Amino acid sequence: MKAKEVRDLTLDQLDDQLLALKKEQFNLRFQRASGQLENTSRVRMVRRDIARIKTIARQKAAGAQSNKA
């Protein structure tokens, strides 16, 4: 997921996307532990997407708070 796509989402959509990615990360960890993981690069991509979403959500939340003040 590109940063531009993430920036276009609302905070609620970001939370939903984050939840879905965390579930996928959990499933990928189980697949790796049991030896069933075929696409090992997906683990890295999911981890980076999670970080990207958290960063942009934090930026949006900080921007919303500064607008209130």
Side-chain angles (χ1 to χ4, degrees), residues 39-55:
N39 186 4
T40 56
S41 66
R42 184 69 186 143
V43 175
R44 185 178 188 182
M45 290 177 3
V46 168
R47 194 173 66 232
R48 288 183 177 190
D49 283 345
I50 289 172
R52 187 175 294 121
I53 287 175
K54 283 184 170 183
T55 300

Side-chain angles (χ1 to χ4, degrees), residues 1 4-6 40 45 50 53 56 61 63-67:
M1 180 173 272
K4 180 159 177 44
E5 296 170 2
V6 176
T40 56
M45 290 177 3
I50 289 172
I53 287 175
I56 292 173
Q65 286 181 352
S66 66
N67 289 341

Side-chain angles (χ1 to χ4, degrees), residues 1-67:
M1 180 173 272
K2 303 266 185 190
K4 180 159 177 44
E5 296 170 2
V6 176
R7 288 190 195 285
D8 293 338
L9 299 175
T10 65
L11 282 175
D12 289 335
Q13 291 171 329
L14 288 173
D15 288 340
D16 293 341
Q17 191 71 27
L18 184 61
L19 183 64
L21 285 170
K22 286 199 176 233
K23 285 181 183 178
E24 182 177 356
Q25 184 183 37
F26 179 78
N27 290 330
L28 289 171
R29 263 190 274 147
F30 265 92
Q31 288 177 10
R32 184 174 21 177
S34 64
Q36 296 176 346
L37 184 62
E38 293 179 13
N39 186 4
T40 56
S41 66
R42 184 69 186 143
V43 175
R44 185 178 188 182
M45 290 177 3
V46 168
R47 194 173 66 232
R48 288 183 177 190
D49 283 345
I50 289 172
R52 187 175 294 121
I53 287 175
K54 283 184 170 183
T55 300
I56 292 173
R58 199 173 309 120
Q59 289 172 351
K60 284 188 175 201
Q65 286 181 352
S66 66
N67 289 341

